[in-house]
Amino acid sequence: MNLVQDCALPTFDLSRPQMRKSIWCEGCGLGNLQQALTKVLVQHESKRRGLDPDIEEELEQIKNNIALVSGIGCTSRLPGHLDVNTVHTTHGRALGFATGLKMARPDLTVVLAAGDGDIFAIGGNHFIHAARRNPDLTLIVYDNESYGMTGSQHSPTSPLGERGASVPYGVFEPPFDLVALAQGAGASFVAQGAVTMSQEHQTQLEELIAQALEYQGFSFVNVRGSCHTGWGEYNQREDAYHYRQYIEKRTMPVERWRELPESEQPHFIPLGIFVRKHRPDIHNSVHYQAAAERAKRVDSGETLVQPPAEQPDPLAEFQLTSLRFAGTGGQGVISAGEIALNAALQAGRSGVFTKNYGPEARGGEAYSDVIVSTGDIHFPQTDQLDVLVALNQESFDKFRDTVAPDGTIIVNSTEVFELYNDSRVVASPIGEIHARKLNPSKRYLGINVLALAITLAYLDLVPTTALEAAVMQGLGKKKPQLNRKALALGFAEAERLAGNANGAPGR
Amino acid sequence: MAVTPSSLNVEIPASAPARRHPKIDLRVVDPVRAAIRDGSVIGVRRTTLSGNDAVAKGALEVGARFFAGYPITPSSEILEYVAKHIFRCGGTYLQMEDEISSIAAAIGAALGGVKSFTATSGPGFSLKQENLGYACLTECPLVVVNVQRGGPSTGGPTDVGQSDVMQARWGTHGDHPVVVVAPYSVQECYEETIRAFNLSERYRIPVIVLTDAKISQMKEPVTLPAQDAIPIVNRAKPIGTQQGYEPFGLSPTGIPPLAGMGEGYRAHFTGLYHGRDGLPTRDPKMIEEQMLRIHAKLETPTATAEIRKTETYFIDDADVIVVAYGITARAAKDAVVQARREGLRAGLLRPVTLWPSDAEVLPEVLGRVRKVVVPELNLGQYITEIQRLAYESARRNQIVPPEIVPLNRVDMQLISPAQILQELRS
Ligand code: SF4
């Protein structure tokens, strides 16, 4: 099916009047590329949106919905010449800009025009990822096998042995195999055209661009073209006509090229469509749709509450308590800290929670710190801890020295045997209560809530109702029965400990 | 002294008569509390959040509908929060292939007409600088979050630092306007992100939210305004004839209206010097006009009133002050409170907007105090701005400038209240 309906069709004038004088060298193939692109863009858009470009208002609408994005280089000046939405970005990054634009505005037709250095060298990473990610973009690369604008340095497509400003003795690093590169990265539409002296090639180029625009997904058209004033100067092709003929002579249809022995293939320029297979673009892919659908089911679950009471005079003394919950990774000491912070919130206290971040937290030992206060908390840490909750021997040994002389250390005596006669210790068989009375389905499940209930109730830091609310609105939602039981057991144990403390402080 | 908790987290019954909340005023420090104080608040949302979550939540609530990011400690939770919630808000996001394409994608979406942002930390911020300059010159509304960590280079990925203060101001090449805000609490991460978006939309500039590893990771209770109390600024759009739309034209405010794509006002954006029409120019007069305009638009009385934000804490009668921002200001507050309890006339100046520096409050206070302590988790960056302002103000008023004392730490530990207090006492 031929998409370009009629070669004789008038080319609609998309040019910006102020930009008719271009910076391009006379005779450069970029002019032909611009011509081809202009023509098929209008055709494509009018077909896509059912608009008639002969009617002025409809032509306006066509222009309004096209975005042309480019990077840096000769080719990247192309968008500026055309009266559509145009973004001339930074070197190599056009695909990043265009991807964001298309993600946010899928309604627009987004097309890129850029050079080989721009896309395959500095922008190489974005090229392979665009091919993989498959946004509905059309990328047209004018591949003159060199950097034109900066003065004939070699690019990732320069042929071995040819000369340039940065390779005075010949190119000595091999070029990319673009088709393999694009295909390997996942591109599902890959084509190559050329700007030569032949009208046939021009017609073919239009057709290839039209097919690429029609393709839903990432489509890539490489356009082999000349740079007679630059690369040509170094390689005896300084005449535009001559350079174009040099390209033309070596072209052949991709179907024929594929039949050539592999050793001969590099000497020719295959033209046509290399790859075209159906693959839904990112917006229409099953997985994107599914993720977006799943995400919409998340409930923000927010309610309005009455504003909190006014804060006290900053110079007044207020109560401030710092706590550390420490144990092994599985004992849930991080969430214990988070619940404690929520309990502070429920009780109208201020609070700060910090988790230990880094290798320590990922290995065996874990801990979290919480400061609870009746006033504003500024500095988020204290010199010494007021309270340490040590669920195992290692954490007791490690953090004992950071507790204030008049502080409290609540120790899980089921796992901590060596207490060093520390007078700050309040020993509670947390592990045993947990195993015997809570009877959890998994080791350590709920032990953090139990320890937290013991600690906060024993110290009378926040009302037990605040802790209950914090637990039941947080992780208690999942296992309400277990957590309610853990709270009750903890409160009872706190009472027992308090009774003990009255008789025999420190046990 | 305990605060009675009884009034807290009492849900407002759904049967209560619906009243619209007046918008909170983000120009004031602690705006939600201020609104509660003057009684204009009926209901609030109370929860606990991390600094990173608060940034992301603020962004979504002020209308950000596109985010592109790349995983980097300690900012990744912003990407993760967005991934979880942005679809629900009607937006979308991508984890891009690198830091450079992340900011590129965010700018692409922003120029398309969608509020966008990206987030990163030190090394990633370095990588974003070229495109940040592109956003400056194309006057693209954009928010970039930089969660500061130790540097240079990989430094301390999980450790706190404040060493990107100058990079935030001058990171990209060339003279460029930029606004940098530095929240010091989780609550302020939320508020300042909202303000950052509003400033970026109003003034067509990228705004940088500069937090740090500590604030980003810690959790605090927050009091959020009801959704309808959040002030939301959207970029001014062109009106009238589409022919001859000038995306960089002159206007009384200096801020040209910005059309979204597809709205009929077709424009060209380029990182080249350009004229009012957006097309490349090499006309010296036009280049100068545009370069001066993009700076001047932030210097009008309306702009400065909205952009500047400095907390003054016990400043009125102070003779020795701390100038501190971000996490370090929290130690400074404790130090000032303690010093006051000891009878010292101590105070704190806390720039919430770091850049442009507050040319009203800072010189005024610096011109009447004896001593200024500038604690920073770097080897002395913002202090150079404080010195500049203090010396300039002293010269203008023909007075002796105050003694300006640096207090620096780069061992990845916080500066403590005790350290600052010691300087206040001496
Ligand atoms: S330098 Fe080469 S590619 Fe660039 S405009 Fe001139 S001929 Fe064309």
Side-chain angles (χ1 to χ4, degrees):
Chain A
M1 183 193 59
N2 236 12
L3 285 174
V4 181
Q5 292 142 353
D6 182 0
C7 294
L9 203 77
T11 300
F12 290 94
D13 187 12
L14 279 192
S15 67
R16 283 197 167 104
Q18 314 94 306
M19 295 294 282
R20 291 224 172 94
K21 202 176 152 288
S22 135
I23 63 155
W24 291 337
C25 309
E26 214 177 301
C28 177
L30 279 166
N32 303 56
L33 173 60
Q34 178 171 321
Q35 223 175 15
L37 178 62
T38 308
K39 182 168 164 183
V40 290
L41 251 182
V42 176
Q43 284 193 12
H44 169 79
E45 265 315 284
S46 47
K47 205 172 111 194
R48 181 178 165 202
R49 299 184 198 269
L51 296 165
D52 181 355
D54 282 320
I55 304 170
E56 207 191 305
E57 278 126 61
E58 301 201 2
L59 180 61
E60 282 293 300
Q61 280 186 52
I62 288 170
K63 293 183 192 172
N64 288 345
N65 288 303
I66 299 171
L68 273 183
V69 184
S70 66
I72 293 290
C74 293
T75 318
S76 290
R77 294 301 184 96
L78 192 158
H81 299 160
L82 303 184
D83 182 19
V84 293
N85 304 286
T86 51
V87 195
H88 174 223
T89 71
T90 50
H91 196 26
R93 316 304 171 196
L95 276 164
F97 284 82
T99 300
L101 176 58
K102 185 69 189 181
M103 286 306 288
R105 293 291 307 275
D107 56 311
L108 299 172
T109 297
V110 183
V111 181
L112 298 99
D116 48 298
D118 200 25
I119 294 296
F120 306 125
I122 188 166
N125 196 25
H126 314 308
F127 176 70
I128 55 174
H129 285 278
R132 170 185 67 80
R133 194 176 279 130
N134 206 26
D136 186 14
L137 300 172
T138 296
L139 168 67
I140 300 162
V141 178
Y142 185 75
D143 178 6
N144 55 18
E145 306 180 321
S146 61
Y147 289 78
M149 187 173 269
T150 49
S152 320
Q153 296 83 6
H154 65 299
S155 88
T157 58
S158 300
L160 280 165
E162 291 203 355
R163 312 233 161 164
S166 55
V167 275
Y169 309 113
V171 174
F172 49 80
E173 45 176 320
F176 267 134
D177 176 343
L178 292 180
V179 177
L181 175 70
Q183 226 184 331
S188 342
F189 185 104
V190 182
Q192 181 159 261
V195 174
T196 66
M197 292 307 294
S198 136
Q199 180 55 43
E200 246 171 77
H201 283 155
Q202 183 71 9
T203 310
Q204 182 191 31
L205 178 61
E206 289 168 6
E207 182 59 27
L208 291 174
I209 296 175
Q211 299 279 357
L213 288 170
E214 179 86 357
Y215 182 79
Q216 252 210 328
F218 178 70
S219 50
F220 161 46
V221 183
N222 199 55
V223 182
R224 297 291 288 270
S226 57
C227 173
H228 59 292
T229 63
W231 198 249
E233 284 272 342
Y234 284 84
N235 294 285
Q236 294 82 50
R237 302 193 290 271
E238 52 279 276
D239 170 72
Y241 175 79
H242 179 189
Y243 203 139
R244 288 175 181 223
Q245 269 197 330
Y246 173 77
I247 296 172
E248 189 176 327
K249 274 197 308 238
R250 291 177 301 144
T251 57
M252 64 169 70
V254 58
E255 297 76 18
R256 239 180 71 209
W257 178 83
R258 282 203 176 111
E259 310 282 298
L260 294 177
E262 216 172 288
S263 58
E264 280 193 38
Q265 285 179 340
H267 304 302
F268 295 93
I269 300 172
L271 299 182
I273 296 176
F274 293 80
V275 187
R276 175 166 48 187
K277 40 181 197 230
H278 177 69
R279 183 164 71 111
D281 69 278
I282 183 165
H283 270 109
N284 291 302
S285 74
V286 177
H287 290 100
Y288 179 87
Q289 296 278 340
E293 207 35 61
R294 275 197 289 272
K296 283 181 185 142
R297 280 183 237 138
V298 177
D299 177 18
S300 78
E302 288 184 332
T303 48
L304 286 190
V305 297
Q306 286 173 13
E310 188 53 61
Q311 292 301 311
D313 169 12
L315 293 187
E317 296 282 343
F318 47 79
Q319 186 197 326
L320 185 143
T321 312
S322 59
L323 304 93
R324 174 167 295 171
F325 298 93
T328 67
Q331 287 173 324
V333 292
I334 304 287
S335 43
E338 287 179 315
I339 301 165
L341 181 74
N342 276 308
L345 167 82
Q346 295 284 348
R349 309 281 203 276
S350 55
V352 176
F353 161 86
T354 35
K355 66 178 174 225
N356 195 34
Y357 201 91
E360 269 176 293
R362 299 200 179 116
E365 295 301 296
Y367 68 89
S368 68
D369 290 346
V370 178
I371 305 174
V372 178
S373 175
T374 53
D376 279 349
I377 299 170
H378 301 131
F379 195 56
Q381 58 198 40
T382 53
D383 294 344
Q384 291 184 311
L385 293 170
D386 296 310
V387 182
L388 169 67
V389 181
L391 291 183
N392 65 356
Q393 186 76 51
E394 289 75 18
S395 48
F396 178 63
D397 294 350
K398 193 167 167 192
F399 299 125
R400 197 161 69 91
D401 291 342
T402 57
V403 181
D406 59 346
T408 308
I409 307 178
I410 294 185
V411 154
N412 171 18
S413 58
T414 316
E415 289 195 29
V416 184
F417 304 108
E418 180 52 82
L419 297 176
Y420 311 103
N421 275 330
D422 192 321
S423 63
R424 298 166 298 181
V425 163
V426 176
S428 165
I430 300 173
E432 207 182 307
I433 301 173
H434 176 254
R436 292 248 172 93
K437 300 195 181 153
L438 197 57
N439 196 17
S441 56
K442 263 193 283 181
R443 195 185 178 207
Y444 290 143
L445 186 69
I447 197 169
N448 53 354
V449 173
L450 176 65
L452 193 57
I454 297 172
T455 308
L456 297 192
Y458 176 78
L459 297 163
D460 197 18
L461 260 185
V462 294
T464 52
T465 49
L467 178 60
E468 264 164 13
V471 170
M472 300 320 291
Q473 284 168 22
L475 86 183
K477 269 192 206 149
K478 277 199 191 132
K479 295 211 181 308
Q481 266 174 330
L482 175 104
N483 284 295
R484 238 180 237 120
K485 199 167 166 196
L487 285 167
L489 287 170
F491 295 152
E493 171 67 0
E495 219 163 284
R496 188 188 69 81
L497 291 174
N500 277 350
N502 291 338
R507 269 224 305 194
Chain B
M1 195 180 88
V3 182
T4 51
S6 56
S7 70
L8 284 161
N9 276 19
V10 177
E11 254 184 61
I12 294 174
S15 58
R19 232 174 75 198
R20 276 190 69 81
H21 285 88
K23 305 284 183 201
I24 57 165
D25 184 358
L26 291 169
R27 284 171 310 178
V28 304
V29 174
D30 222 344
V32 178
R33 265 194 191 175
I36 294 171
R37 251 198 316 274
D38 67 11
S40 62
V41 169
I42 309 141
V44 292
R45 293 171 292 159
R46 296 268 289 162
T47 183
T48 57
L49 290 174
S50 71
N52 276 344
D53 286 356
V55 163
K57 189 175 175 63
L60 295 184
E61 292 189 357
V62 74
R65 291 296 174 265
F66 184 73
F67 173 90
Y70 185 80
I72 183 167
T73 304
S75 79
S76 302
E77 292 85 1
I78 296 175
L79 162 66
E80 292 161 15
Y81 187 99
V82 167
K84 197 163 170 196
H85 295 283
I86 200 166
F87 284 115
R88 180 170 56 79
C89 304
T92 190
Y93 79 101
L94 277 180
Q95 177 176 314
M96 292 297 286
E97 55 272 20
D98 58 25
E99 297 280 2
I100 298 172
S101 53
S102 299
I103 183 168
I107 296 171
L111 292 177
V114 174
K115 274 187 201 177
S116 306
F117 72 126
T118 182
T120 188
S121 178
F125 193 50
S126 298
L127 284 166
K128 290 188 194 297
Q129 291 300 335
E130 185 195 6
N131 282 341
L132 187 60
Y134 182 84
C136 292
L137 196 68
T138 54
E139 299 178 67
C140 175
L142 177 77
V143 170
V144 179
V145 185
N146 176 18
V147 182
Q148 296 173 97
R149 60 191 228 188
S153 194
T154 310
T158 60
D159 295 315
V160 67
Q162 294 185 308
S163 50
D164 304 345
V165 169
M166 282 299 172
Q167 195 195 11
R169 176 62 196 89
W170 292 115
T172 196
H173 62 280
D175 285 304
H176 58 278
V178 74
V179 172
V180 181
V181 298
Y184 90 134
S185 66
V186 173
Q187 175 82 24
E188 212 168 60
C189 281
Y190 171 85
E191 294 161 355
E192 285 304 301
T193 303
I194 292 175
R195 196 169 72 96
F197 272 96
N198 285 348
L199 293 175
S200 82
E201 290 282 320
R202 176 107 68 210
Y203 298 101
R204 274 187 66 177
I205 34 156
V207 177
I208 293 157
V209 178
L210 202 58
T211 71
D212 63 70
K214 196 85 193 173
I215 290 175
S216 72
Q217 297 299 322
M218 70 188 204
K219 286 191 169 185
E220 291 183 295
V222 289
T223 305
L224 309 180
Q227 295 254 8
D228 65 350
I230 300 167
I232 296 177
V233 177
N234 293 317
R235 62 195 73 172
K237 297 260 171 112
I239 38 173
T241 161
Q242 299 171 356
Q243 215 76 55
Y245 162 55
E246 291 188 327
F248 301 91
L250 302 182
S251 74
T253 55
I255 312 147
L258 180 61
M261 288 184 193
E263 292 166 6
Y265 298 87
R266 295 183 296 274
H268 182 58
F269 296 96
T270 176
L272 288 164
Y273 287 137
H274 44 261
R276 297 172 195 171
D277 54 7
L279 300 171
T281 184
R282 297 190 63 190
D283 169 11
K285 269 214 201 85
M286 184 50 76
I287 292 170
E288 189 185 40
E289 173 196 294
Q290 290 291 320
M291 281 298 283
L292 296 181
R293 181 183 59 74
I294 62 174
H295 285 86
K297 71 180 177 180
L298 302 184
E299 285 153 18
T300 64
T302 339
T304 53
E306 196 174 9
I307 294 168
R308 287 174 188 162
K309 186 168 175 178
T310 305
E311 180 177 9
T312 51
Y313 192 70
F314 291 104
I315 280 299
D316 290 350
D317 65 339
D319 80 325
V320 46
I321 62 163
V322 190
V323 180
Y325 52 88
I327 187 76
T328 305
R330 297 175 69 119
K333 265 197 175 168
D334 273 352
V336 165
V337 165
Q338 192 50 43
R340 283 274 162 181
R341 285 177 184 154
E342 292 174 11
L344 295 173
R345 284 192 291 134
L348 167 70
L349 270 186
R350 181 172 70 87
V352 181
T353 299
L354 273 186
W355 302 109
S357 59
D358 191 333
E360 191 186 329
V361 174
L362 292 178
E364 189 274 315
V365 178
L366 293 170
R368 63 173 159 86
V369 295
R370 178 179 51 84
K371 183 176 174 180
V372 182
V373 184
V374 188
E376 298 180 87
L377 296 178
N378 56 46
L379 289 176
Q381 295 194 12
Y382 206 61
I383 194 173
T384 58
E385 183 68 3
I386 298 303
Q387 284 163 336
R388 184 182 76 79
L389 292 169
Y391 297 158
E392 224 170 66
S393 138
R395 204 189 48 223
R396 219 182 15 248
N397 302 322
Q398 300 191 319
I399 51 168
V400 182
E403 181 192 359
I404 300 176
V405 184
L407 180 53
N408 306 109
R409 259 186 116 143
V410 286
D411 61 351
M412 304 296 104
Q413 302 300 309
L414 295 180
I415 294 172
S416 71
Q419 278 182 284
I420 298 171
L421 187 59
Q422 205 180 347
E423 287 295 344
L424 292 176
R425 284 190 192 126
S426 70

